[in-house]
């Protein structure tokens, strides 16, 4: 019998603030019936459509000191990759590395960091991937 991922946990210094920052990035909300409040040392957010993995933010005493060994790869639901990157940067993310075009025109991703320095990537949207894989002339 195999296991499944219940939720993804992100260590942080302020669980409430970081969960609030991530909600509009992912389009997530508080878990129904379990609101996150200032001062909570654990805050869970969930995809309201029930399609994505829940994310739990837990306060820990130590600060982030090295590159994440695990990170989120985000794919825009509707917008293009570059539009989504601009949106998330305007929301307060910082650019860590720009890998757009690394494997040719129209490819790649951008590595960003949230306000506590946790890295995540924004990939091309499903429409961009489909367009890239469609043979010319079709």
């Amino acid at each position: 019998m195999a296991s499944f991922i219940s939720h993804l946990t992100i260590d942080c210094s302020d669980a409430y603030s970081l969960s609030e920052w991530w909600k509009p990035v992912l389009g997530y909300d508080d878990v129904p019936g379990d609101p996150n409040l200032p001062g909570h040392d654990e805050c869970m957010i969930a995809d309201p459509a029930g399609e994505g993995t829940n994310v739990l933010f837990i306060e820990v005493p130590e600060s982030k000191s090295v590159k994440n060994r695990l990170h989120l790869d985000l794919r825009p639901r509707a917008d293009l990759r570059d539009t989504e990157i601009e949106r998330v940067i305007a929301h307060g993310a910082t650019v860590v590395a720009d890998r757009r075009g690394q494997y040719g025109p129209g490819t790649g991703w951008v590595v960003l960091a949230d306000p506590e320095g946790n890295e995540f990537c924004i990939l091309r949207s499903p429409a961009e991937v489909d367009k890239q894989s469609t043979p010319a002339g079709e």
Side-chain angles (χ1 to χ4, degrees):
M1 182 75 72
S3 297
F4 66 93
I5 297 173
S6 169
H7 55 273
L8 176 70
T9 301
I10 298 177
D11 292 348
C12 59
S13 63
D14 185 340
Y16 176 74
S17 292
L18 202 56
S19 71
E20 289 296 301
W21 189 88
W22 274 97
K23 277 193 228 178
V25 171
L26 299 174
Y28 278 27
D29 295 319
D30 291 344
V31 172
D34 187 16
N36 298 320
L37 299 171
H40 283 180
D41 58 3
E42 294 184 8
C43 294
M44 177 94 72
I45 61 174
D47 180 354
E51 297 171 351
T53 300
N54 291 358
V55 182
L56 176 64
F57 300 89
I58 295 183
E59 292 182 7
V60 296
E62 58 277 345
S63 61
K64 182 181 176 306
S65 59
V66 298
K67 181 184 180 300
N68 293 30
R69 295 291 303 242
L70 176 75
H71 67 266
L72 301 176
D73 282 341
L74 307 180
R75 200 174 291 280
R77 294 178 191 262
D79 288 328
L80 300 177
R81 175 197 60 202
D82 292 348
T83 304
E84 184 68 359
I85 290 166
E86 290 172 15
R87 182 184 77 85
V88 175
I89 289 171
H91 183 58
T94 55
V95 175
V96 175
D98 190 333
R99 305 283 190 236
R100 287 179 277 198
Q102 183 167 336
Y103 299 104
T107 66
W109 62 92
V110 172
V111 182
L112 300 161
D114 71 16
E116 290 202 16
N118 299 300
E119 294 99 0
F120 62 99
C121 296
I122 296 184
L123 313 174
R124 294 178 301 144
S125 69
E128 290 171 298
V129 172
D130 289 346
K131 181 179 178 183
Q132 188 75 22
S133 64
T134 302
E138 290 186 11

